[in-house]
Each structure stands twice: as structure tokens, then as C-alpha cells.
Amino acid sequence: MSGSTFGSLFRVTNFGESHGPAIGCVVDGCPPGMTLSEADIQPELDRRRPGTSRHVTQRNEADQVEILSGVFEGKTTGTPICLLIRNTDQRSKDYGNILDTFRPGHADYTYWRKYGLRDPRGGGRSSARLTAPMVGAGAIARKWLREQHGVSFSGHLTQLGDIAVPFESLDHVGENPFFAANRSDIARLEAYMDELRKAGDSCGARIAVAAHGVPPGWGEPLYDKLDADIAYAMMGINAVKGVEIGSGFGCVTERGTTHGDALLPDGFASNHAGGVLGGISTGQDITVSIAIKPTSSIRSPRPSIDRAGQPTVVETFGRHDPCVGIRATPIAEAMLALVLIDHALRHRAQCGDVEIPLAPLPASSRLAGDAGG
Amino acid sequence: MSGSTFGSLFRVTNFGESHGPAIGCVVDGCPPGMTLSEADIQPELDRRRPGTSRHVTQRNEADQVEILSGVFEGKTTGTPICLLIRNTDQRSKDYGNILDTFRPGHADYTYWRKYGLRDPRGGGRSSARLTAPMVGAGAIARKWLREQHGVSFSGHLTQLGDIAVPFESLDHVGENPFFAANRSDIARLEAYMDELRKAGDSCGARIAVAAHGVPPGWGEPLYDKLDADIAYAMMGINAVKGVEIGSGFGCVTERGTTHGDALLPDGFASNHAGGVLGGISTGQDITVSIAIKPTSSIRSPRPSIDRAGQPTVVETFGRHDPCVGIRATPIAEAMLALVLIDHALRHRAQCGDVEIPLAPLPASSRLAGDAGG
Amino acid sequence: MSGSTFGSLFRVTNFGESHGPAIGCVVDGCPPGMTLSEADIQPELDRRRPGTSRHVTQRNEADQVEILSGVFEGKTTGTPICLLIRNTDQRSKDYGNILDTFRPGHADYTYWRKYGLRDPRGGGRSSARLTAPMVGAGAIARKWLREQHGVSFSGHLTQLGDIAVPFESLDHVGENPFFAANRSDIARLEAYMDELRKAGDSCGARIAVAAHGVPPGWGEPLYDKLDADIAYAMMGINAVKGVEIGSGFGCVTERGTTHGDALLPDGFASNHAGGVLGGISTGQDITVSIAIKPTSSIRSPRPSIDRAGQPTVVETFGRHDPCVGIRATPIAEAMLALVLIDHALRHRAQCGDVEIPLAPLPASSRLAGDAGG
Amino acid sequence: MSGSTFGSLFRVTNFGESHGPAIGCVVDGCPPGMTLSEADIQPELDRRRPGTSRHVTQRNEADQVEILSGVFEGKTTGTPICLLIRNTDQRSKDYGNILDTFRPGHADYTYWRKYGLRDPRGGGRSSARLTAPMVGAGAIARKWLREQHGVSFSGHLTQLGDIAVPFESLDHVGENPFFAANRSDIARLEAYMDELRKAGDSCGARIAVAAHGVPPGWGEPLYDKLDADIAYAMMGINAVKGVEIGSGFGCVTERGTTHGDALLPDGFASNHAGGVLGGISTGQDITVSIAIKPTSSIRSPRPSIDRAGQPTVVETFGRHDPCVGIRATPIAEAMLALVLIDHALRHRAQCGDVEIPLAPLPASSRLAGDAGG
């Protein structure tokens, strides 16, 4: 199947380019009867949108979403929901010089080798701008998961370049432009970013996201394991190079005696599993951590080649995020929500009448502490 | 769609349980006209099979594969290829006590919460034994990729519990039971495993795999990025908790000026990207690293609960791998091959007639050195 | 997977309702490098659009299509193409009385029983208006099939209610409002429709469509046979109740000696197969015939029930086609094109390198005569 | 996606060739907890199996089914169910002469043009023998539909070549080798077949099948309409050339005033719709009629060409059904069941929590009379 559709039952088909007339998506398979309007979606888009601080791209997009279908008198009808976001602040001339050369670390080269041509304006389809429709679709998923199952999401920046960001409280995430669960170190992060921007360079980041209140039983044994689908979703976000569930790479040096989370009558004793065992949710928090690479569009001149294979030097102007990780938290939360609603529906399809003789553990033994730690 | 099928054009549907009569898979969509027999598949199964050293499970399975369909007079016909592997060395009584309780870190609990019942014999469907059909299907994929595109695969253990395994040469991988690209430290690894086994405990591992000779252009912009599908495939292998492409989590502390691989007239100057940019292959080695958790079936007694929610203690007898990572290398290679053949066919479908005006880089600028390092 | 996506490699995701702000579709998987603009699509939409004669609905929609993505400097980029058609002539008040009752023969009742609510304005999602995006997507498919493979399409009305419409020439199809391949009987058809409209009633129709120049080898043995996918596509058009390939139901009374089309050195001697054998194209014309039921929205009063199950009488006002079959020809051609491009890409994916040792028959032994007769 | 998988949530992947070692299928997505053993499946296979009368192929296959996975202690576990049927009575030498030539009306030619090679033994993959796994999977679907929803199936032969077979009672269907719902005309049918066989010829047939007790609400608006998926399923059965739902082609000459089934407080007044409106089930019987072409493998000599394109004459020996329609009834019932279970699960996925404020009609207003008439 073609690549631009995410999910099997709650399906999101994404379209658009950074500097085309519009971006958007079609959400097919949404359960009927849920109240929905643009007001449910816009706040999530606003969390992600550019131009909100000096540390992100200065492109000014309102990212105003319009629902074109699938809602009647304020309720979902069960038919496809088309979300449309018009692009309004394109400056395509900024990108003219990119057409003939390739930015190191950018998809310029691979698109050209795949398709034989590419839309160079603002990165075209490879732009992180295309995460906006994901966030829009994710807002629909989050609403349904919250209303039907009490599932909620959280996320925050855990590292910015060389700086680890200590977890203080999720309450702080909305108070700073970095989505840091921290109040003490914000000035340090701002200074770091200011210096980086002056140097014409970019940096990587690490993000933790979690889903709370997921019931046990969502997922499939193989291959569509819940964690496999989460890995697919996360690695599919622009610039992500690594994904961990639960203790992630930390499990390499753990022992079976310590890694396996003991089941006690009042819940699991720990959550090294990150809420997934054998591809199926345990009822604990789903915890995920991702690595985001440094932006490839930077001002610093770098050696490259042109389309004829001749050596050249690339400098990228235009407006870019010096760290795409800064705005990645709501995107990762949205993708996690899309995976979960899909598996919620899949589980209801196959196991909608399963009754568990005895339910040994509280519905969700939600552990306190750092999401995705 | 149901979960047991992998791939969109080269589709592998996996079936079976650890202690049922047989395991296997149906491979649909294989191109016609390729010479194929059991002799092409058995060697890969033999690399994975249990019972070959004292460091893995002592279950003795020949893992003899039978081709039931899709091959006529030694050539693939283009119709589904069914691979059948009979189970021969089940000892289901070993697992009797597991039915009523749940091993910490095991899928026992989640299967029961999903389906309301489970096959407890040898882990049933959640057993790592089900990776055998993946390896079988992967052998078909590898053959086609090699013959049609010159693609080859390599992989090795890079860490065993606390012990990092230095890369010496890929030549050593077949010479030791650990798939270590190393000759100097094998005695140390053996001693480590002997001690672990005596302690009734288990450990994690880290594996690196790579594909060499992949042409540029395979993959999709979103969501079915080549790296997203690789992450899905890897996280879908039993016990995997983390996946990295290229520099992986290392990219968090890299800068744009160093992470972006410069394009020079004679090829890329480095491979931080791990062979994928914007979800599409660059022509460089595809490099992947995965984290594998410690086996959850261990002899050491651990607190747990029974089906009535009452506290109990679990000890696991039966035959188990003290480190499932030891046999994971051929599995990860197989899954990588399955992702690549699927994208090779998808690329041919959409872009089979694309001509690149000028091809600036050598077909594959294969970098020397450690695969997936 | 959710239901609003058609095709596996050339995927069309349809959205919208009759009286919502817009209808449209996302076409994913289109090969890159094809010249494309609205001017390639609009003529097909114009063939289908309402209000063009007194024999069809008087709703006046320009059906002006806008390409929102996937095209750069006049060429397809290989990324999703979003087609948007704004609704402009809604008169939703016409349908107010339908909300509480159910038209016999209409989807009113089933939508309500499925979703628990429905958009009653103009039939909402069940309106034949939703065939416009199919026709738009079909225009893209037709262009690619013509340019890459020389495939063309034809179609015409073969029966209107009680009146069989003799085939005279395909040249006449564009000259009358009925898509009849006939010049002699048009006045008779007009009189028939005028009388029907006066009576407040509606009638059925039969349409024949054909694809010419399809190369042999497209299709799959099972289940995704070329003819099975055609049947799915045709039965999916609003109001279709029957589908035939080749001699269709006529084959019941044929013998093996007469039905089987002899292969002669200069081509097939006949085409009872309708261009498909064993689910795979033969190289002959693909011929299809469909039955379209009478419109269910008619002025004549009929017994029905309201939402409380109480008896009532339904009369339908608003603007409707007295025979939806009249405008069905371009829709059926479009759906046939969508099936064929999908199988063209699928065939290239799996068999792109197959060489036929000897090709016994001319590439297409195109038979003269009545398409789908 | 590749072609050999049927269904989206209850997925059946078919494999095997007529004269290979085995045929079978993998059923993925079956709900857990249903009692299931070979004894539930074998009777349906026995209804379809060859060699049971002189009017069908004399190949003697026991069609003994073995469940290889997905069942534990007599209950489905929710994991893939592999059904295996060993071929036992192959006589491949019978088909030696077919390798170099092409039977008129057979898939010989198209397979060769698609794949460049083919398995000629018994028709290979194109053999009607591959309907056995469909029937096996259908038996599982039927059991679930019956137990969960009270859905039942019926079917019968309505025409054999030139002879229309009047409906007398469904009770007669199991009493004669033709699946005729008739007792009076059996001798006539036998004489007709005896003569045909002597003449070395074959004939077509028409079959009616129905599903009883289907609740309203199953299906999708577009494209995966319930009737569209039924058409796909039926046209995918070997030799089918036409499909009708409800009044089918009869609707062409019906009027809106007569075709639309009136809703009365005690149920629908008629069933021209065949139980589907707008792609969604109404709660009435689902009625389907299919046309099956004459067998292409006949003794009578016919003109054809060889692989070099030279004229030749083809006579088919081996064992064949002189009318494949005779054994088609259980196959069509099975395919209908597979469509319905898939839509039952899809409906539960999306609408599992929908409550209908008032249910105006009795759950199923089952009409008396001829199924699919």
C-alpha cells in the first residue's frame, strides 16, 4: 500500500507540501457520535505551530484548521473527516538555490534519486511542516481515548544538545518554549540556543512521552505489536533516529531478576517494560523516548555536490528551527495517540466480547514520576 | 488488518505456537522465476536454531523447513510460498505450573488480559521460536536482493550484558556461538554466560546489523519511511526494547555541522544517517542497532500473583535462553531483508520508469568498518 | 482497514458529504514525472456533472476541481495529490423532513442503524455526488494508462428502463445527454424520461464500459483477481445491483466448446472472457456491464415508518436524477481506470523484470464492435 | 498488497497448487474463546469435495483438514489458525501436453504472460481445487456468525446449462449431487449431464446463495460497501462471470415505485435490495446470484496455439468437472460468510458502542421463500 496513510482502522492519510496551497489529512474510521469541532483540534496545533518564540523558525503560520467533512451538527458521523490547513506565509524564493544542490543530512538528495524530480520549496513534502496534520488527527484520537477510556498523554524534553534537562514537574511543560518539565534551567537552555543560532549551527534533542490509563490488552502478538507500531510511528517523525520503550537501551545491562517487573496484588512494582509485554499493553504507563537529530538546514557553509556531481558549497538561508526537537513533544504525543486509538479499535474488533474471569490488578497501576524516564 | 502479516507487497503471514504441531509462514508476492529450494533457506534457519551451544536453550529442534507451494521445477512461480517447520521436541509438561501464574517481564499476563485465555506451553505464540519462520522468509528475501541488486547483510553482537564486544572483523562472526565480530574476548563471554546460568539469571544484549549495496531511492516520505518500517520490524522482534538508525541516540549531542554527512564527488564523507534520509535510502550502508532485554523465563524465584490476584512466587523451569540476544543476529538480519525487499518492490511499482538525469554519486559508496557501529 | 480508500498502490481516499463545505479525494501512489493540471481533470468532471440537461438533477454545481498538493511546476512529484471540489449549490432545507423518516430503497435507514445518527442533507455521504472525486481520480489514472500503455476507455448506455438502446457508434456517445451510442432513438429516450419525470417516478439502466489496449498479465490469481476487483469497483458505485464481465450471465447457457475463446496466430477468435482469464488480463478488451437500480428519491408518495417505528408516508422533494444511470457512464469508466492502474503498478512491482520467451499473440488483438456488449 | 489474502480483519491467506504437496490457508484475526476442532470444518469440506458423484471430477481427494495452530484445548486463542490439506491423488502426467499449449477459456495463457512460467499440473494455482481452503476458512466464519449473531446460510443451483431448476424446498439441497432445491427434476438434470459428458463438452450454471439473520448496520458507505465486497468475493471464485445482489439485473426494468422496499412497522414489505442499501445491511436476507461459465478443460478438440505462436489443436484429458457450477454452492456460501464476518468485526471496531435510540423494525424481518431468487 502507498505510504501516506497511517493506521489500519483509524486511518490518517496525509497530504501537502511546505509551500503548496495547503496541507491536511483525511481521518477515516473515527467512531460516530463524538462531539467534535475545530475548537477541539486548534489548541494542539497551536502547541506545535512555528513562530512562537525566537528559538524556533520565524515562519508565521496561523495553522488554522478547517473541518471539511465527517461532522454533522457538532458530532462525528463515522465518515471521513478531512482537515484542511492553508499555507499562508510561504517565501519560496528563499529556496531557489537549493534546487541544484543537496543539503548534507537532508532529504534533498534522496527525493531526487527516488522520483527524478522534487519540490524544493521549503523542503516540499519532507518538511517538518507536514507534522501539523498528524497533530490535528492526533487531537481527534486523544479526545476519543480520553472520553472512552480515560487515557491521557504527557511529554517533555529530556535533553537539548549537550544539556540534560532534569525532570521537576509536568506542570512546567507549558510554561517554557522548550516543553521542558523544568523551571530552574530554562535560562540556561535559552542561552544555549542563542549561542547555537549565532553560530549558524543546530543541535539534537531527546524527548520522553507517555500515555496514562491505557487498559491492558491492546496490541497484537506479532508483527503489529503495540511497541512495534509505536516504534514505526516515532521513527516516522521527521529527524528521529532512535526509539526506546520502557528502559530501552538501558535493558542491555539489566538482569532478568531486575528488569522483569514484579506483579503484586496492588499492581506492578516497577515499569521497566514501559507498559508493553509481548506486544500487548500491561495497563501501566506506556513510556517512550526518542532521539532527534540536529536540523540539516543550517547557515554554516558545508561541502556538497550539485546535480552534475561537481563539488560545491551549501549554505541554507530561509527560516528554520535550529533544533527541531523543541517542537517535537506535541508531535510525539499525537503519534502515540494515533497508535493507541488504532489498537483500541482493533482490540474491540477481535476481542470485544472477551471477559476476563478475574482481573488481578487494578485497572491501571499508574506509577508516579517522570514520563518515559 | 490483522497483525500476523508483515509487509505490503512481499507479505509474510506467520503462524504457529511453540508447542503446537508446527510453525511456519506464507510468503506472498515473491517475484517469479527465481531458483529456490529448501537448500536456500535451511542454512539461515540453522544459524538461528536452538541447541547449538551450552549458552542457548537446550531444546533440540532440527528446524527442518518444507516448501509446500509456490515453487515449480525449482523456480518461484509468483504464487504464495508456504514454509512449514514441524515442532519435534516439545515438553509441554515443563510448563504446567505457568498456567495459573504470570512470569514477571513475560507476555503471560498480557495475553491473558487480551484474549481471556492463552496457550501456556513454551510461551505459546509469544515464544521466540516464532522467529524461525521470519528467518525462513528472510532467506528468500536475501536471495532475491542479492541476485537482483547485489545487496548483502551483516550483523554481530556488540554488547553482552555488561561486556562491550569490540569489533575486530566480520570474519569472526560465524566462528563463535555469540555472533561476535571478535576473536580475542570469546573466553570472557563464555565465562560470563556460565556464571549467569549458574546464578539462574539472564542478561540483555545489543546487536548491530547492516545492509550493504542498497541502491538510493527505496522508501517513502511518510509514513512508511524506510527507517520507520525498519523500526517497526526490529521492535517487533521478541524482547527488543530500543532501535537506532545510524548514529541513533548519539545524534542528540551532535551538531548539524558534524551530523550531516557531506556529499563529495566520490561519495558521502561519513554515514551518521545510517543510509536513510527523509525516509529514503541514500545508497550507503543501512546501519541499525537494537537493544534486547534479559530473558524473562529464569530459574530465580520472583514475587508474582496468580490468576485470582493472590501473591505467589514464580520459578521458571523448562529450557530457555539465558540471553535471547545471542541468537538474535540472524533474526535481525532477516527482518531487515524483509523490509528492504518490500520497499524494493514498492519502489519499482511507483518509480519503475524514473530516470535520474545525472547520477552524481557512485552507486554505493560503501564505507569500511563496523556495521551499525 | 477503513472503507473510504480504494486501491492498494494507486490509492484514492474519498471524503465529503453532499451538502458539506466540500468533497474531494487524496490520490496516493501516483507515479512521478507525469504532466498534470486541473485542465486534465476538469473535462471528465464536466461529463459527470449535474444540471446539464432536463433529464438529470437540476442542482447546479460547477464541480470546479483544485489540486492542493502533489504537483510541482506542472508535474506529479510522486507524493499525494489532493483534489478539492467546493460544494456551492446546497439547499439543505429541502431535506428537512427526511431526518425523521426513511425513503424506501434509500440508505437513510441503514446509516441510521449503523452509526446511530446521519447527515440527512442531500443524502449526506450516500449521495451520488460522491462519485465526482472518483471521476477526478479516474482522470489521473486514465492519463497515466494512456501515456504509459496506450490504454483507452469507452462506455455507453445500453438500456434505459424498458428501452434497449441499440449500438450504432461510439461517436454518438458525446452527442446526447444519455451517453447512448445511438443517434436514431434519442427522441424516444427523451420522451420516455419526460413521461417518467411527470409521473414522479424513476427507472433503472444498464451501462457497458470497456478498456482497450490493456496488456496481458495484469491481475492476480486469487483473491485480487482483475475481474474480482472490477466487480468490487462497479458494485461500489451508487445504485449498482449487478456486474458482468464478458458474456456475464449469458455464460450460463453457453457450452465449453463455444464459450472458450480460441487462440489463433493472429489473436483471439472471440471475447466471451471479457479480457480476463483466471483473474489476469488476456490482452483483449476488458468488457463490463452493470445494472443500475431506479433512484430511490422520488416524488410519488410511498408507505414507510418514522424513527419511532410508526407508519407514515414519504414523498421526496429536492432535486434528484430520475435515472442515476444516465450519468453513470463516466463514473464506471473512471472506476475501471482506477482498478487498472492499480494492477498495472502491482504487476510492475512483482513482475517488472519478467521476460516472456515468445509472445504468440499481437500485443492486443482488439476486436471491433460494441464495448461490453 | 499481494493478492492471496482475503479480508481486512478476519484475514484468510490462501496457498497451494492443485498438484503440489498440500493446499491450505492461514486464518488471522479469529476472535478468541470459540470452540473449534477439525470436526467443525470437515463437513463443509465434504460438501465441496470431488469424486462424490459421476457428475463431477473423478479425482479422489479426502480433503482431510489439519489444524496446525491457533487452537488450544479446543478453543481458538485469537492467534492465526493454519489449515492444512494434503494433496493425495495427483496424476500429473495427465497434464504433460498442456505445458506447451493453451486451453481456450483457461488461465494457461494469462499465467504464462504474467509470470513467464507456470505450474501446469492440474491447473496449478488456477485450479478450482484452491476453493477448498476457502470453504475451510468459511466454516470457521460460519460457526462464529451462527454462535454470536444467529446468522445462517443457504444456497442452491437455480440453473444448469439450459435447464432452469425450479425452487421447491431448501430441504432437498443435500439430497442430490447438484445442490438443487428441487426433487422433481433431478433425473432430468442427471440425463443432461450424462449427455454432456458423452459429448466431451461442458456447461455453465447459476447459483443463488443467501445469508439469514444478518443484523442491520454491517458494511461501509464507500468503497468497502457490503455489496461491493460480496461482488469481489463472488467474482473471485473460479469461473464466475456475473454477480447480482437482490433483484440484480432485473432492476433495470423496475421503477422506483416498485423497486424500493417499503418499510412497515412489522418489517420490510419486500426485498428487492437483497438486504443491502447504501452498502450497509438492512437486516433482511442478503441475497446473491452468480453466473458460472462452462469448464474450459474439455475433451473436445479445439483450435489453439503453442508457445511459439504456431497453430495447434488442444484436447484436454485428465479429470475435470463438466460443470464447475455443480460444486459451487458451498463455495459461494463460504465466501459470503467470509465477507460477513469481516464486516461484523469492522462494525464492532468502529461502532461497538453505538446505541440506536429506537429500533423501528424487528431485528430481522426474514422473508419466506427462495434464497437469492
Side-chain angles (χ1 to χ4, degrees), chain B residues 20-79:
Chain B
I23 59 176
C25 64
V26 181
V27 178
D28 196 13
C30 184
M34 181 173 75
T35 60
L36 187 74
S37 74
E38 282 87 352
D40 294 307
I41 300 168
Q42 197 62 50
E44 285 299 318
L45 287 169
D46 291 346
R47 290 179 74 205
R48 190 216 71 94
R49 89 178 174 83
T52 52
S53 84
R54 72 179 183 275
H55 307 297
V56 299
T57 174
Q58 295 306 297
R59 179 169 173 176
N60 185 15
E61 288 287 352
D63 280 354
Q64 199 74 37
V65 67
E66 181 185 8
I67 296 176
L68 290 183
S69 63
V71 175
F72 176 63
E73 296 187 343
K75 289 198 172 171
T76 58
T77 59
T79 60

Side-chain angles (χ1 to χ4, degrees), chain B residues 28-33 70 75-81, chain C residues 220-221 350-351, chain D residues 4 115 117:
Chain B
D28 196 13
C30 184
K75 289 198 172 171
T76 58
T77 59
T79 60
I81 301 167
Chain C
E220 302 271 344
Q350 191 185 13
C351 301
Chain D
S4 303
Y115 298 118
L117 78 176

